[in-house]
Amino acid sequence: IGVRFGVAIPDREAAQEAITVTTAPEVEGAFYWLNDYEVRWRPKEYWAPGTEVAVEVDIQGVDLGNGIFGSENNETNFTIGDRVTAIVDDATKLMTVYKNGEVLRAIPVSLGKDGGRWATPNGRYIIGDRHESLLMNSETFGYSIEDGGYKTMVNYATQMSYSGIYVHGAPWSEWAQGNTNTSHGCINVTEEAAQWFMNNTKRGDIVLVKNTTAGTLPVYDGLGDWNMSWEEWSAGNA
């Protein structure tokens, strides 16, 4: 659960106290600030399917420090859907997708080129936005075309990180999918598989990447919340 403010918040504790998370059944969870603008609330364990969640942000008129006051309240509610997870194993070059513990499909993949800046980080990612088509442009992350970057339109792009890692269709690398890493960090699959993946996953689902030559996706990337230990997360940083 993310609450994003329009300005940097000086008094994080006051902001947290204005946010109420109610779940049925009750689950253990805690706040952690991703940055000065956004606080996250994460359960200790993955949400169980069917859990009902309500969030109330009673921020209107609340003193948030340094002359900043909340302008209006907000709220939302949702129910956790089926548990859909994907495991991307660089050792086998396969992405196996599970739904409620049952295997739906194993998809050949090509990950980021081994050993350098483009290697795909390991860790647990959270599914974010989805795009029928998307311009992938490394210049937005400081890598020019001259430095080996890219500027490519792709189809059926499912976001895994704020830093630009997606599952997407890559017809140019079908020869490599299942045997060789050739991408700039993304999970390359066929266009058919990319569309299938987009249609069978939802925001918040987990993608576990393992056995790559890179490090671990940091929590501060924005969709790596599950890569921080519960001990550190639950201690908070307000």
Side-chain angles (χ1 to χ4, degrees):
I1 298 167
V3 179
R4 190 175 300 155
F5 298 92
V7 297
I9 301 300
D11 190 341
R12 292 180 172 186
E13 290 188 11
Q16 284 182 196
E17 290 173 2
I19 303 169
T20 303
V21 178
T22 306
T23 67
E26 186 174 342
V27 300
E28 182 179 359
F31 287 106
Y32 195 89
W33 288 79
L34 192 65
N35 51 54
D36 288 338
Y37 295 82
E38 183 173 356
V39 63
R40 298 276 178 91
W41 191 96
R42 199 201 88 185
K44 180 179 181 180
E45 307 291 346
Y46 292 155
W47 295 101
T51 303
E52 297 179 354
V53 184
V55 185
E56 296 181 357
V57 185
D58 295 325
I59 208 81
Q60 185 173 2
V62 173
D63 185 349
L64 300 174
N66 293 353
I68 296 172
F69 290 83
S71 61
E72 59 182 322
N73 298 331
N74 209 333
E75 63 181 357
T76 190
N77 62 82
F78 53 92
T79 301
I80 302 300
D82 291 315
R83 176 168 293 178
V84 176
T85 58
I87 298 178
V88 179
D89 190 345
D90 193 25
T92 61
K93 304 293 190 291
L94 287 174
M95 175 169 65
T96 306
V97 182
Y98 298 83
K99 182 176 181 179
N100 298 325
E102 299 293 326
V103 175
L104 290 183
R105 184 172 177 179
I107 300 170
V109 298
S110 179
L111 307 183
K113 300 170 187 174
D114 297 326
R117 69 166 63 155
W118 305 116
T120 307
N122 295 284
R124 295 184 285 179
Y125 295 70
I126 302 172
I127 291 295
D129 295 334
R130 296 179 293 177
H131 306 270
E132 291 286 329
S133 62
L134 181 68
L135 176 63
M136 309 290 284
N137 184 0
S138 66
E139 292 177 344
T140 62
F141 300 104
Y143 296 118
S144 68
I145 305 299
E146 293 73 22
D147 288 335
Y150 54 88
K151 195 171 186 179
T152 309
M153 286 295 301
V154 301
N155 294 326
Y156 309 116
T158 301
Q159 185 186 34
M160 291 170 50
S161 79
Y162 282 6
S163 56
I165 299 175
Y166 288 75
V167 176
H168 67 77
W172 58 86
S173 72
E174 287 189 22
W175 66 271
Q177 294 164 21
N179 61 79
T180 307
N181 290 332
T182 61
S183 85
H184 291 91
C186 286
I187 313 298
N188 281 188
V189 299
T190 66
E191 297 237 314
E192 181 276 328
Q195 185 179 29
W196 179 91
F197 185 81
M198 177 181 289
N199 291 337
N200 284 274
T201 57
K202 58 192 175 299
R203 186 180 296 276
D205 286 343
I206 299 295
V207 180
L208 171 64
V209 176
K210 62 181 184 178
N211 294 322
T212 77
T213 59
T216 300
L217 181 79
V219 62
Y220 298 105
D221 174 274
L223 293 174
D225 301 48
W226 291 102
N227 292 327
M228 181 178 286
S229 71
W230 177 245
E231 289 71 27
E232 185 176 357
W233 183 283
S234 59
N237 57 355

